[in-house]
Amino acid sequence: MVASFKLPMDQSRRYQAILLGILLVFILPITARADICKVPPPVLAIDPPGFYDDPGGYSEAIKPLHAFIEEVNKVADSGDQACLVALIDSWARANALMAPIKGYQGYYERSWAGADLALALRRFFPQTKTGAHTVPPVISKWLIDMAASTRDANAINRLHNNLVYWAGLDLAATGTLTNRPDLIDAGIARAREGIKDIQPNGTLQRELKRGDRALHYHNFALIPLVFTAELAQARGIDLYSENHGAIRRLANLVINAVINQNSFSAYTSTPQHLFPWTFAGDLAWMEPYQARFHDSRLAALIAPRRPFINPRLGGNVTAAWARPPAMGHS
């Protein structure tokens, strides 16, 4: 028979307190970090139905990718570089999103995801003297492969509309992050396609054909043009000046519509309908634009909307792109 051993009450409580302290100091932080860095299962194939063709089917099919993007951007916004790298590295090693696409929406989603991931990483990996960012090779290769697939996607290239400009941002952002001048040049070429299409009055003819979503898509087309122009500035290329300041004409059209939506009736008689995010997160282009041009009209439009959060632009655009003096005005 084994004799039982029992501590005195006060000593037992002391040991319990010590064990609780160990739990709080060591175990709980590990558990908390595991929750923060929990990696959503990699999505190998991204091939949802079209956004307008089957809204319900699209919404359901895209949830896993959107959950990953949301987690990536949340971690980037929190400043946790190690967790950000862990999240993206896991998907990179699985070669996520790279399975063949049968439809067309998947090409757009992969392009947007690539741009977002590159811009999120850009917040933590400054350029070296050689021009490269010190991104882990596994991640670099994956992002480059995604960008190359976007570059070669006829499902995008044949459209000659805002989706081409978004593909250009994916290429320019990934090329900048990984020091691939060929991708940067391909991205700038796609931005130039949009810049060339901007009319003297600031409109885009292909986006005017969107009917009651024409205003939304003018703003949506402007986003990648502004961010690609910002990335091009680092290479000494001033896209803002091309086609007689076309980007600024388009920006002026959108700014006027934000101030007074009826101003867009000068370009179409169709009443316009906006998505909830059109004049919210999709106005994120205003941050780098205002930091560069200091448009007197923008301060009042920007301040109540900050911070600008956009799931295609790396998360908190205000934190990443607004210059300190501009942020002080908010």
Side-chain angles (χ1 to χ4, degrees):
M1 182 175 181
V2 179
S4 62
F5 178 75
K6 189 174 183 180
L7 291 171
M9 183 63 70
D10 58 342
Q11 191 172 353
S12 176
R13 288 174 177 168
R14 191 180 308 123
Y15 278 120
Q16 290 175 10
I18 292 172
L19 289 172
L20 179 60
I22 293 172
L23 176 67
L24 293 174
V25 173
F26 294 103
I27 299 176
L28 289 184
I30 292 172
T31 302
R33 183 165 181 82
D35 289 340
I36 293 173
C37 290
K38 185 177 180 181
V39 180
V43 175
L44 302 184
I46 182 66
D47 201 8
F51 178 79
Y52 291 111
D53 296 337
D54 180 4
Y58 168 82
S59 179
E60 189 64 29
I62 207 65
K63 279 181 181 179
L65 175 57
H66 283 183
F68 174 66
I69 292 295
E70 182 178 359
E71 190 66 20
V72 164
N73 291 348
K74 182 177 71 174
V75 169
D77 292 344
S78 75
D80 193 338
Q81 178 179 328
C83 188
L84 176 68
V85 170
L87 285 167
I88 300 177
D89 180 82
S90 177
W91 278 48
R93 291 181 185 278
N95 203 29
L97 309 180
M98 291 301 292
I101 296 171
K102 297 178 182 178
Y104 64 89
Q105 186 75 36
Y107 290 104
Y108 314 159
E109 301 296 334
R110 188 158 63 190
S111 169
W112 292 327
D116 183 84
L117 297 174
L119 292 173
L121 287 164
R122 179 182 178 272
R123 297 167 67 175
F124 296 89
F125 292 92
Q127 273 189 318
T128 64
K129 292 181 180 179
T130 63
H133 295 254
T134 53
V135 181
V138 171
I139 293 176
S140 291
K141 181 182 183 303
W142 181 53
L143 293 178
I144 289 170
D145 287 347
M146 278 204 293
S149 295
T150 293
R151 178 196 62 203
D152 300 336
N154 187 54
I156 294 176
N157 294 332
R158 65 180 178 79
L159 298 174
H160 306 291
N161 64 9
N162 73 83
L163 292 160
V164 172
Y165 321 154
W166 276 101
L169 178 58
D170 177 17
L171 297 172
T174 298
T176 299
L177 185 73
T178 61
N179 194 29
R180 284 285 300 263
D182 60 320
L183 294 179
I184 299 173
D185 290 344
I188 289 174
R190 283 157 175 76
R192 281 178 166 148
E193 183 175 341
I195 292 167
K196 182 180 178 181
D197 283 346
I198 297 172
Q199 302 299 303
N201 64 1
T203 60
L204 287 159
Q205 293 302 305
R206 288 183 178 85
E207 307 308 337
L208 275 179
K209 295 177 182 178
R210 300 278 191 164
D212 64 355
R213 297 293 188 188
L215 174 54
H216 167 80
Y217 279 103
H218 273 75
N219 184 59
F220 194 64
L222 179 60
I223 301 169
L225 294 180
V226 167
F227 282 91
T228 301
E230 289 296 319
L231 295 173
Q233 288 283 336
R235 295 176 64 81
I237 299 171
D238 183 11
L239 293 180
Y240 287 114
S241 68
E242 296 191 4
N243 188 11
H244 309 288
I247 292 177
R248 298 194 69 177
R249 292 200 301 275
L250 176 55
N252 189 62
L253 178 151
V254 174
I255 292 168
N256 286 337
V258 176
I259 296 171
N260 176 14
Q261 189 173 328
N262 290 332
S263 67
F264 198 73
S265 64
Y267 314 110
T268 177
S269 60
T270 304
Q272 294 298 295
H273 292 89
L274 305 179
F275 292 107
W277 55 86
T278 303
F279 283 173
D282 275 5
L283 290 178
W285 61 267
M286 287 184 172
E287 289 289 14
Y289 189 89
Q290 174 68 343
R292 183 167 300 280
F293 294 112
H294 309 290
D295 189 306
S296 61
R297 300 167 296 173
L298 287 183
L301 301 180
I302 290 174
R305 292 176 168 87
R306 277 179 170 158
F308 288 99
I309 308 296
N310 193 292
R312 297 181 175 96
L313 300 171
N316 188 331
V317 175
T318 298
W321 291 88
R323 293 175 186 169
M327 292 186 69
H329 296 158
S330 64

